[in-house]
Amino acid sequence: MSVAMAVGWGQAYARDKLRLGTEGAYPPFNFIEPNGAVSGFDVEIGLALCKKMDVDCEVVTQDWDGIIPGLQARKYDFIVASMSITDERKEQVAFTDPYYRSGFALVAPKDSDIVDVSPEALAGKVIGAQAGTTQGNYAAQIFTQSDVKLYPSQEEVNLDLLNGRLDLQVSDYLPMLDWVNNSRQGACCKFIGKPVTDPAFVGDGIAIALRKEDEDLRNKMNEALKAIRSDGTYAAISNKYFHTDIFTFE
């Protein structure tokens, strides 16, 4: 780390390394390779920001339901884990500017005859989603006449859909785009209806979370995000995973 950068961050960050927290179970955004390395879009964006800020970063994984408590307990210094900006989360953490925007997808088996995705039409259907996520909250709030099942991880939601235990699932659109189009398991399934993009549910975008007191680091990350957008680094990472630039996805 350069002396100037250390001074700019203040005493709290006058060290050689920052710790990047992520889930490690949300491909293609964050996942663990067979060799134990943590990879994915989130991880590469986070490390690109570290490089732009001229600081080494260590990647730390944490289960989703404990990811904000882990930040507050100083297990890591910032979270890059496809976290939506919501009013509830803003009470606990500070967010950078969004680094991408997304929506929710409804996904069902290919042989499903579901066409209407209104709450009334889905009454009695079994709907899955990941617990502790905005899509899980959406499913529970909207599909009150359905049997909504919440799971610890997205992988478990996918598995139950694949095995016929769910009529459909609610999930982040971009991971589902990759799962349905590029994975062997995802070939089982199809998208139903249009993505849900209402900010009341999906929030104001996907951003990096930090402790509220770390305002200097937040500002540095916002500067670095603008820099990787302007120099082509962001687009290169996005194209690697999605064959498109997802920064302006709506």
Side-chain angles (χ1 to χ4, degrees), residues 12 90-91 139 179 197 217 236:
K90 284 193 286 189
E91 294 179 1
W179 188 69
T197 57
L217 180 56

Side-chain angles (χ1 to χ4, degrees), residues 152-171:
S153 72
Q154 184 61 44
E155 291 176 342
E156 292 172 79
V157 184
N158 295 348
L159 186 61
D160 268 12
L161 184 66
L162 176 67
N163 290 330
R165 300 187 186 100
L166 299 173
D167 293 302
L168 73 163
Q169 65 160 293
V170 183
S171 51

Side-chain angles (χ1 to χ4, degrees), residues 52-73:
K52 188 63 66 173
M53 295 186 299
D54 192 27
V55 61
D56 291 332
C57 282
E58 172 189 1
V59 179
V60 179
T61 57
Q62 168 67 52
D63 290 344
W64 180 260
D65 59 1
I67 204 161
I68 289 180
L71 176 70
Q72 294 167 333

Side-chain angles (χ1 to χ4, degrees), residues 129-163:
Q130 184 178 1
T133 64
T134 50
Q135 60 265 26
N137 294 339
Y138 171 83
Q141 291 177 34
I142 297 300
F143 300 117
T144 56
Q145 301 173 64
S146 303
D147 180 8
V148 175
K149 295 185 178 296
L150 300 178
Y151 297 77
S153 72
Q154 184 61 44
E155 291 176 342
E156 292 172 79
V157 184
N158 295 348
L159 186 61
D160 268 12
L161 184 66
L162 176 67
N163 290 330

Side-chain angles (χ1 to χ4, degrees), residues 3 12 42 72 110 136 165 172 178 185 192 211 219 222:
V3 174
D42 288 331
Q72 294 167 333
K110 275 192 172 176
R165 300 187 186 100
D172 269 359
D178 178 74
Q185 286 187 339
I192 302 291
R211 290 180 290 271
N219 290 336
N222 281 334

Side-chain angles (χ1 to χ4, degrees), residues 11-246:
Q11 187 62 35
Y13 291 98
R15 59 175 183 250
D16 294 332
K17 183 177 288 188
L18 293 175
R19 293 157 299 169
L20 183 166
T22 196
E23 183 184 13
Y26 199 54
F29 289 91
N30 54 80
F31 57 93
I32 299 174
E33 301 273 13
N35 65 3
V38 188
S39 300
F41 174 81
D42 288 331
V43 176
E44 290 201 33
I45 289 295
L47 293 178
L49 295 176
C50 292
K51 183 177 180 180
K52 188 63 66 173
M53 295 186 299
D54 192 27
V55 61
D56 291 332
C57 282
E58 172 189 1
V59 179
V60 179
T61 57
Q62 168 67 52
D63 290 344
W64 180 260
D65 59 1
I67 204 161
I68 289 180
L71 176 70
Q72 294 167 333
R74 298 185 176 272
K75 291 178 65 175
Y76 29 84
D77 302 299
F78 59 100
I79 298 169
V80 192
S82 289
M83 183 177 288
S84 300
I85 303 170
T86 66
D87 288 339
E88 180 180 1
R89 288 174 180 154
K90 284 193 286 189
E91 294 179 1
Q92 303 176 73
V93 299
F95 285 106
T96 62
D97 296 335
Y99 66 99
Y100 76 90
R101 300 179 187 277
S102 189
F104 302 150
L106 301 180
V107 180
K110 275 192 172 176
D111 61 359
S112 173
D113 59 1
I114 296 173
V115 177
D116 186 346
V117 294
S118 66
E120 296 75 20
L122 296 179
K125 299 293 186 183
V126 184
I127 301 174
Q130 184 178 1
T133 64
T134 50
Q135 60 265 26
N137 294 339
Y138 171 83
Q141 291 177 34
I142 297 300
F143 300 117
T144 56
Q145 301 173 64
S146 303
D147 180 8
V148 175
K149 295 185 178 296
L150 300 178
Y151 297 77
S153 72
Q154 184 61 44
E155 291 176 342
E156 292 172 79
V157 184
N158 295 348
L159 186 61
D160 268 12
L161 184 66
L162 176 67
N163 290 330
R165 300 187 186 100
L166 299 173
D167 293 302
L168 73 163
Q169 65 160 293
V170 183
S171 51
D172 269 359
Y173 178 76
L174 288 167
M176 280 300 101
L177 185 65
D178 178 74
W179 188 69
V180 170
N181 293 333
N182 300 323
S183 74
R184 184 178 64 180
Q185 286 187 339
C188 68
C189 301
K190 64 182 180 180
F191 291 102
I192 302 291
K194 295 181 179 180
V196 177
T197 57
D198 186 345
F201 294 106
V202 303
D204 297 321
I206 311 300
I208 296 165
L210 307 96
R211 290 180 290 271
K212 287 189 174 184
E213 63 266 27
D214 293 337
E215 183 67 12
D216 287 345
L217 180 56
R218 189 180 77 88
N219 290 336
K220 289 292 182 184
M221 288 204 157
N222 281 334
E223 292 172 10
L225 179 58
K226 291 176 183 176
I228 67 169
R229 282 290 298 156
S230 64
D231 70 10
T233 301
Y234 183 99
I237 296 171
S238 183
N239 283 322
K240 174 180 175 180
Y241 289 95
F242 306 107
H243 307 292
T244 188
D245 185 332
I246 66 169

